[in-house]
């Protein structure tokens, strides 16, 4: 880990620690929290990661120019239990929508371009809880994205990045500068959380409003079991509700059912 520059940017709810290179922003955030130096809504931002990780501990490639960040969330509902991922994802999605990016939330933690045609992933969220600390690891493809041959064979959709997305649209000028983008997102995420009505009672509505494939037939693969049905929305715990099946599914990998056609 190289020398960091601690920044207190006006208008943000917590300090931002900036690094040239780290193993993982999640690791750095937890270390800072343990030292009492990263309060809730403080964050870590790195130019590069050498050991970034995504869902199911998969390696997250981290070329320069993208956002690699970790945000310390308050250890209170809805950032506790299974609701944490879609609740955090909804705040990020709505922040990006406010910057002119058509985005949807692919349950439980992927940010997806939804501006027409085939959806494509450009970001992801990984929640880690250690002790009382809840940290959201956030990766956003800004200037580059993995090529098709680098994706898993079972990937539900292709990858894209913001520079590619904004080529055909009017866009917020901060979108292509990782540091400025992160500052704007932290401000917008905190504002979305800190409105007069408690977000703990609104997270489900917020997440369902930008939920990818809602009302469409999907397949959920979970630990060797496959479930298919219409995606009705989210349950109170943050899991998926599918068709006539009772209860909610709390884990798994989601994909569009074969034969449904493109959106």
């Amino acid at each position: 880990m190289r020398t960091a520059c601690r920044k207190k940017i006006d208008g943000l709810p917590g300090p931002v620690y900036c690094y040239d290179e780290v193993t993982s922003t999640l690791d750095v955030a937890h270390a800072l929290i343990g030292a009492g130096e990263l309060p809730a809504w403080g964050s870590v931002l790195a130019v590069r990661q050498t050991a970034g990780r995504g869902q199911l501990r998969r390696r997250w490639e981290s070329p320069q120019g993208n956002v690699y960040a970790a945000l310390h969330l308050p250890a209170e509902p809805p950032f506790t239990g299974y609701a944490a991922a879609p609740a955090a994802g909804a705040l990020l999605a709505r922040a990006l929508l406010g910057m002119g990016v058509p985005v949807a939330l692919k349950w439980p933690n992927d940010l997806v371009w939804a501006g027409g045609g085939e959806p494509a992933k450009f970001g992801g969220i990984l929640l880690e809880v250690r002790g009382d600390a809840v940290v959201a690891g956030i990766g956003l493809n800004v200037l580059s994205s993995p090529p098709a041959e680098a994706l898993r064979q079972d990937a539900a959709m292709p990858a894209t990045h913001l520079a590619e997305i904004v080529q055909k649209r009017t866009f917020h000028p901060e979108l292509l500068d990782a540091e400025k983008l992160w500052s704007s997102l932290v401000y917008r995420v905190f504002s979305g959380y800190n409105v007069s009505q408690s977000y703990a009672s609104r997270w489900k509505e917020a997440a369902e409003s930008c939920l990818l494939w809602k009302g469409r037939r999907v397949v959920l693969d979970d630990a060797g079991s496959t479930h298919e049905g219409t995606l009705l929305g989210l349950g109170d715990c943050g899991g998926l509700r599918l068709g006539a099946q009772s209860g909610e599914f709390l884990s798994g990998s989601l994909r569009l059912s074969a034969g449904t056609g493109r959106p």
Side-chain angles (χ1 to χ4, degrees):
M1 183 169 61
R2 299 182 181 178
T3 303
C5 173
R6 187 183 190 190
K7 296 185 177 182
K8 185 66 170 69
I9 301 173
D10 290 341
L12 295 187
V16 179
Y17 284 85
C18 298
Y19 291 82
D20 289 334
E21 184 176 287
V22 299
T23 54
S24 164
T25 56
L26 280 166
D27 293 337
V28 175
H30 282 296
L32 289 170
I33 292 168
E37 297 180 2
L38 191 70
W41 300 107
S43 61
V44 173
L45 180 67
V47 175
R48 292 177 297 276
Q49 295 182 125
T50 59
R53 53 188 179 272
Q55 190 178 20
L56 302 178
R57 314 297 290 187
R58 297 184 181 110
R59 180 177 175 82
W60 184 283
E61 296 298 330
S62 306
Q64 185 170 339
N66 296 336
V67 167
Y68 311 111
L71 179 64
H72 184 188
L73 297 172
E76 57 188 35
F79 305 125
T80 54
Y82 289 100
L91 284 171
L92 270 169
R94 291 161 76 92
L96 286 160
L97 281 167
M99 299 179 76
V101 180
V103 59
L105 176 65
K106 178 178 173 289
W107 182 90
N109 55 5
D110 287 343
L111 296 170
V112 174
W113 156 253
E118 186 177 11
K121 176 180 174 178
F122 69 90
I125 305 163
L126 177 64
L127 270 290
E128 282 194 354
V129 180
R130 299 184 192 177
D132 295 329
V134 181
V135 180
I138 297 165
L140 298 175
N141 298 334
V142 178
L143 298 185
S144 65
S145 53
E149 58 271 18
L151 299 177
R152 304 189 326 273
Q153 290 186 349
D154 61 345
M157 62 183 59
T160 189
H161 53 279
L162 290 173
E164 184 174 61
I165 288 171
V166 303
Q167 285 179 356
K168 300 178 181 179
R169 304 182 63 89
T170 301
F171 63 93
H172 198 289
E174 295 177 350
L175 280 174
L176 301 186
D177 182 301
E179 185 173 322
K180 291 180 179 179
L181 171 60
W182 179 245
S183 295
S184 183
L185 286 176
V186 171
Y187 172 79
R188 290 168 182 268
V189 164
F190 180 73
S191 297
Y193 169 82
N194 202 36
V195 292
S196 57
Q197 185 180 2
S198 172
Y199 189 62
S201 64
R202 299 183 301 105
W203 71 267
K204 182 179 170 184
E205 176 187 359
E208 287 188 330
S209 71
C210 53
L211 190 62
L212 183 70
W213 297 330
K214 185 180 179 183
R216 305 193 66 190
R217 195 164 185 83
V218 297
V219 176
L220 181 70
D221 297 312
D222 182 20
S225 299
T226 299
H227 309 274
E228 185 169 353
T230 301
L231 201 169
L232 300 179
L234 300 177
D236 292 337
C237 292
L240 281 184
R241 294 187 298 118
L242 294 183
Q245 301 184 60
S246 60
E248 55 186 293
F249 296 95
L250 298 176
S251 63
S253 180
L254 191 67
R255 53 189 168 90
L256 197 60
S257 178
T260 59
R262 294 185 177 183

